[in-house]
Amino acid sequence: DVKVTQSSRYLVKRTGEKVFLECVQDMDHENMFWYRQDPGLGLRLIYFSYDVKMKEKGDIPEGYSVSREKKERFSLILESASTNQTSMYLCASSLELAGVYEQYFGPGTRLTVT
Amino acid sequence: GQNIDQPTEMTATEGAIVQINCTYQTSGFNGLFWYQQHAGEAPTFLSYNVLDGLEEKGRFSSFLSRSKGYSYLLLKELQMKDSASYLCAVRDSNYQLIWGAGTKLIIKP
């Protein structure tokens, strides 16, 4: 079974803090993704990575950065957390971008910025 | 712009059949996915359609009409554990998934 794990289920941070969210997958997938999920909205892509050290901006990259130093690990960084970044953050991985290959999701990190 | 529309909420009775619709307007089309998401949990893959027609997987079926920009997920013999949100996602010309906001399905005994 593909397993995607995220470092925390719940996080509470203060405005202005630097926040690190980590994601690890154990199936040697090339592609990894960070989404945020807010009520009434579809999942929105923040960044994705198709290889080690490679990254591409998604639809809402502002205020975020990412790091992929190892194939299995993809980190999301909030340089200076703000209250509008309070959200559920979901990490996903997939073997391929095309074809029948679905994305596998981690359990999510619910981040609250106060 | 890109848009995926699905009903916000639906209610159905245990043992019955329910159809959840999804319409889309996207820049290109490279497949459509349905995911299930229980409250507080991660989305999990249900089905994939890339050609027109019906794909059946046990109690779940998914239909696609590319010319109409339309898909539906059909759930038969509903069980209480099917209470969840159902997410429709379309893979666009850049091979990225565009997600609908999800349909919350409530099953009543």
Side-chain angles (χ1 to χ4, degrees), chain A residues 97-100, chain B residues 4 24 26 28-34 47-51 64 66 71 88-93 95-98:
Chain A
L97 290 180
V100 73
Chain B
I4 311 281
Y24 63 88
T26 56
F29 178 85
N30 283 296
L32 184 144
F33 293 82
W34 284 96
S47 68
Y48 172 73
N49 295 70
V50 68
L51 298 176
L64 174 67
R66 288 172 295 169
S71 173
C88 174
V90 173
R91 184 188 277 141
D92 69 9
S93 56
Y95 293 92
Q96 293 309 315
L97 291 183
I98 310 301

Side-chain angles (χ1 to χ4, degrees), chain A:
Chain A
D1 267 358
V2 175
K3 197 167 182 184
V4 181
T5 56
Q6 296 183 228
S7 48
S8 306
R9 290 300 304 268
Y10 300 94
L11 270 181
V12 180
K13 296 291 182 181
R14 294 195 181 275
T15 302
E17 279 193 87
K18 192 168 187 176
V19 182
F20 293 87
L21 303 181
E22 291 208 314
C23 174
V24 178
Q25 50 94 4
D26 67 357
M27 282 301 290
D28 205 34
H29 282 175
E30 303 291 334
N31 308 287
M32 296 187 74
F33 309 83
W34 275 106
Y35 293 95
R36 64 179 281 177
Q37 185 174 33
D38 298 292
L41 299 177
L43 273 69
R44 292 182 290 168
L45 182 65
I46 304 171
Y47 270 97
F48 76 98
S49 169
Y50 53 89
D51 201 351
V52 175
K53 297 192 185 295
M54 305 305 290
K55 60 186 179 185
E56 293 284 343
K57 292 180 180 179
D59 298 319
I60 51 164
E62 297 80 16
Y64 304 94
S65 62
V66 290
S67 171
R68 192 159 179 211
E69 296 297 317
K70 293 185 177 181
K71 191 174 187 179
E72 68 271 19
R73 190 178 297 267
F74 192 35
S75 300
L76 179 70
I77 303 145
L78 287 66
E79 295 289 343
S80 178
S82 63
T83 55
N84 62 13
Q85 292 179 310
T86 292
S87 187
M88 170 68 87
Y89 290 88
L90 290 165
C91 174
S93 72
S94 70
L95 185 60
E96 300 280 351
L97 290 180
V100 73
Y101 301 97
E102 72 267 32
Q103 293 184 12
Y104 294 85
F105 285 84
T109 296
R110 186 165 293 283
L111 173 67
T112 302
V113 182
T114 60

